[in-house]
Amino acid sequence: MDKEFNFIKRKHILIVDDERQLLDLIESILRDDGFSSITTVGSAQEAIVACHTTFPDLAILDVNLPDKDGFSLMKDIRQIKDIPILFLTARDKPEDMFTGLDAGGDDYMTKPFLPKELLLRLSAILRRSYKNEKTVIELAHCTIDFDKAEINRQGETFPLTAREHAILNVLYKSANRIVTMDALCAEAWGDNLYGYENSLMAHIRRIREKIEMTPSSPESLITIKGLGYKLIL
């Protein structure tokens, strides 16, 4: 049960709705249930930016957005990253639900909603979508166990701090691709990114000390000058 809890709760959730009060409510419901990696935005345009910078694992979309409908937004999001979509909307006509599900939505809920039902449906989608995901990965000189939050290198075990875990998690989700410094700061420190670049570099240095044989000449966690970092699998 603990393994499943960790597996589900560490997923990054994007919530898109133009009602600030509802965004705050949904975020509160998720955080009270143990989700800690959450991004909230109020428009389709902001959602696209968030997908490029935070690499969400699931999106909760309103259908009625000020700049684009949620059905079209789902297609745009999946061109960036193929993630499950839960529609949460006031549009309660059967034809709207059929449109959302036929277009590829994973589930469709109408407002008002019961918090418990939202959590159950959200968790069910995540379990279905990520049931085959590895929790232990191999790098050039070590293994990372995300559930145990530790690194094993040549028989020696190094624990991961919460921020090191968050940084490595977002790097792994985009393995072999560049992850910007803003995306890493957002994952580790939330929406307030100002002033954390130096802290990020310090965390990257400590991660390299745990995963690399020669941290000054990294093979697994590579710096892409002026852009960010890349985790090589």
Side-chain angles (χ1 to χ4, degrees), residues 12-228:
H12 188 103
I13 310 299
L14 172 66
I15 311 169
V16 188
D17 199 294
D18 61 345
E19 296 183 39
R20 184 72 251 177
Q21 187 174 0
L22 187 60
L23 281 177
D24 292 342
L25 173 62
I26 299 171
E27 181 177 7
S28 176
I29 291 169
L30 267 56
R31 290 195 183 280
D32 287 347
D33 195 55
F35 288 91
S36 59
S37 186
I38 301 168
T39 297
T40 61
V41 297
S43 68
Q45 183 178 2
E46 290 174 304
I48 295 302
V49 172
C51 286
H52 281 294
T53 57
T54 66
F55 306 103
D57 298 299
L58 178 145
I60 300 174
L61 306 183
D62 187 12
V63 175
N64 296 321
L65 296 169
D67 50 348
K68 179 176 286 192
D69 69 77
F71 304 138
S72 299
L73 175 59
M74 175 176 66
K75 296 177 183 178
D76 293 341
I77 288 174
R78 284 182 170 163
Q79 289 181 354
I80 302 167
K81 185 180 179 183
D82 188 12
I83 60 173
I85 303 293
L86 168 63
F87 289 108
L88 181 60
T89 176
R91 289 170 61 166
D92 57 359
K93 294 182 178 179
E95 52 265 35
D96 290 322
M97 180 182 69
F98 297 149
T99 297
L101 296 177
D102 285 344
D106 293 86
D107 206 344
Y108 192 102
M109 290 183 63
T110 57
K111 306 171 186 175
F113 61 92
L114 296 173
K116 185 64 175 178
E117 182 182 5
L118 173 62
L119 292 171
L120 288 173
R121 292 200 188 197
L122 180 67
S123 296
I125 295 171
L126 289 171
R127 284 195 298 269
R128 288 197 306 268
S129 301
Y130 297 101
K131 61 182 178 181
N132 296 321
E133 184 180 79
K134 292 181 180 179
T135 58
V136 179
I137 64 170
E138 294 186 7
L139 301 182
H141 301 290
C142 71
T143 60
I144 302 173
D145 189 323
F146 283 102
D147 281 338
K148 294 182 179 179
E150 63 184 28
I151 292 168
N152 186 283
R153 193 187 73 220
Q154 294 189 332
E156 189 173 2
T157 299
F158 303 90
L160 288 170
T161 67
R163 286 207 169 96
E164 289 169 354
H165 186 284
I167 291 167
L168 277 170
N169 190 42
V170 74
L171 285 165
Y172 168 56
K173 287 189 291 187
S174 298
N176 303 313
R177 293 184 292 165
I178 298 171
V179 182
T180 65
M181 294 183 69
D182 282 351
L184 291 170
C185 286
E187 186 74 12
W189 288 282
D191 295 333
N192 183 12
L193 308 181
Y194 181 76
Y196 283 117
E197 291 86 354
N198 290 335
S199 294
L200 174 63
M201 288 187 283
H203 281 83
I204 293 291
R205 184 168 59 251
R206 286 194 288 271
I207 290 171
R208 282 178 172 151
E209 290 171 354
K210 298 176 182 181
I211 69 173
E212 306 282 3
M213 290 298 296
T214 308
S216 59
S217 300
E219 298 178 51
S220 297
L221 181 47
I222 309 300
T223 300
I224 309 299
K225 190 173 182 180
L227 294 175

